[in-house]
Amino acid sequence: DVKVTQSSRYLVKRTGEKVFLECVQDMDHENMFWYRQDPGLGLRLIYFSYDVKMKEKGDIPEGYSVSREKKERFSLILESASTNQTSMYLCASSLQTGSSFEKLFFGSGTQLSVL
Amino acid sequence: SQQGEEDPQALSIQEGENATMNCSYKTSINNLQWYRQNSGRGLVHLILIRSNEREKHSGRLRVTLDTSKKSSSLLITASRAADTASYFCATANSSASKIIFGSGTRLSIRP
């Protein structure tokens, strides 16, 4: 069964801390994504990666960076956490077929609270 | 910016009734996908319809796509309590640069 695993279900951090959110997929997918989800705003794309060491900014990359050193792992980094980064973070992966994205497989999400 | 917008934002129906949710989008797409999210969990893929398809079925789900109106609808027939969830449409744009989600429809099924 396909699986996308996010390292933490709940996380509480202090303002100014460096935060790492880890995501691992076991499906050999080329594409991996990080979204944040806030009430009333739906899912907003932070960053995505279409290959190892490749990354593209999404709609809200400010305050975030990413790392993809291995195909199966995509990390989201909050360099200096702020309270407005309190949110649900969702990782996803997908195959790429030609020029089209196929369906996304999501992890269970990490609820991050920054105090 | 949001590509897909779902309508209505919230829907409450009686168990056994049909539920219809709509999605509108702005730019050309390769495909449109519908996802379900149970409270506090990740999203689960339901169905994908390509830009050259007009209708697709999967079990109790029926999806239509009208590319001339840039809209899609998701119909859930004979609803069950377990269908209570949020439903999102997502579009993969023609330049294949990203997949963008709408803000979702919250569906509640009353027993």
Side-chain angles (χ1 to χ4, degrees):
Chain A
D1 215 7
V2 294
K3 201 159 188 182
V4 178
T5 303
Q6 293 184 231
S7 54
S8 303
R9 185 77 182 90
Y10 298 97
L11 212 50
V12 180
K13 296 292 181 181
R14 296 266 178 215
T15 301
E17 278 193 77
K18 191 168 186 176
V19 182
F20 292 87
L21 301 183
E22 305 287 346
C23 176
V24 177
Q25 51 100 358
D26 64 359
M27 296 164 282
D28 202 35
H29 285 168
E30 296 90 352
N31 303 309
M32 296 189 75
F33 306 81
W34 275 106
Y35 290 89
R36 66 175 280 178
Q37 183 178 26
D38 300 288
L41 295 177
L43 277 75
R44 292 180 292 168
L45 181 63
I46 305 172
Y47 268 98
F48 72 99
S49 168
Y50 52 89
D51 202 351
V52 175
K53 297 191 187 295
M54 306 303 289
K55 60 185 179 185
E56 291 284 342
K57 292 180 180 179
D59 296 316
I60 51 163
E62 296 78 19
Y64 303 94
S65 63
V66 290
S67 171
R68 193 160 181 207
E69 296 297 318
K70 293 184 178 181
K71 191 174 186 179
E72 67 270 20
R73 186 179 297 269
F74 192 36
S75 303
L76 180 69
I77 304 153
L78 286 66
E79 295 291 340
S80 177
S82 63
T83 55
N84 63 13
Q85 292 178 310
T86 291
S87 187
M88 169 71 90
Y89 289 87
L90 293 163
C91 174
S93 71
S94 79
L95 278 171
Q96 179 98 6
T97 303
S99 62
S100 179
F101 289 118
E102 296 301 309
K103 67 180 184 180
L104 271 63
F105 293 87
F106 279 85
S108 297
T110 295
Q111 180 61 54
L112 173 67
S113 296
V114 182
L115 307 178
Chain B
S1 60
Q2 296 300 105
Q3 163 77 312
E5 292 296 332
E6 289 90 342
D7 170 54
Q9 288 188 325
L11 180 62
S12 179
I13 61 172
Q14 205 75 31
E15 192 168 14
E17 293 180 341
N18 296 341
T20 299
M21 289 158 270
N22 302 296
C23 171
S24 59
Y25 57 92
K26 296 174 185 173
T27 63
S28 296
I29 61 171
N30 275 331
N31 65 59
L32 186 144
Q33 304 173 34
W34 285 91
Y35 291 80
R36 184 188 72 224
Q37 183 182 36
N38 291 95
S39 181
R41 309 300 295 179
L43 279 71
V44 174
H45 182 267
L46 294 176
I47 197 165
L48 180 153
I49 186 166
R50 301 193 188 279
S51 59
N52 60 354
E53 297 176 311
R54 291 297 166 259
E55 189 171 310
K56 205 161 184 180
H57 297 254
S58 176
R60 293 183 297 114
L61 305 179
R62 174 180 164 241
V63 169
T64 61
L65 179 65
D66 187 334
T67 52
S68 66
K69 294 181 180 178
K70 292 187 169 55
S71 67
S72 173
S73 67
L74 171 67
L75 168 68
I76 304 174
T77 60
S79 63
R80 305 168 181 169
D83 295 328
T84 293
S86 291
Y87 292 82
F88 295 86
C89 70
T91 51
N93 63 15
S94 296
S95 63
S97 59
K98 56 178 87 169
I99 296 179
I100 299 177
F101 285 79
S103 52
T105 293
R106 291 188 312 279
L107 175 65
S108 298
I109 308 298
R110 301 190 303 272

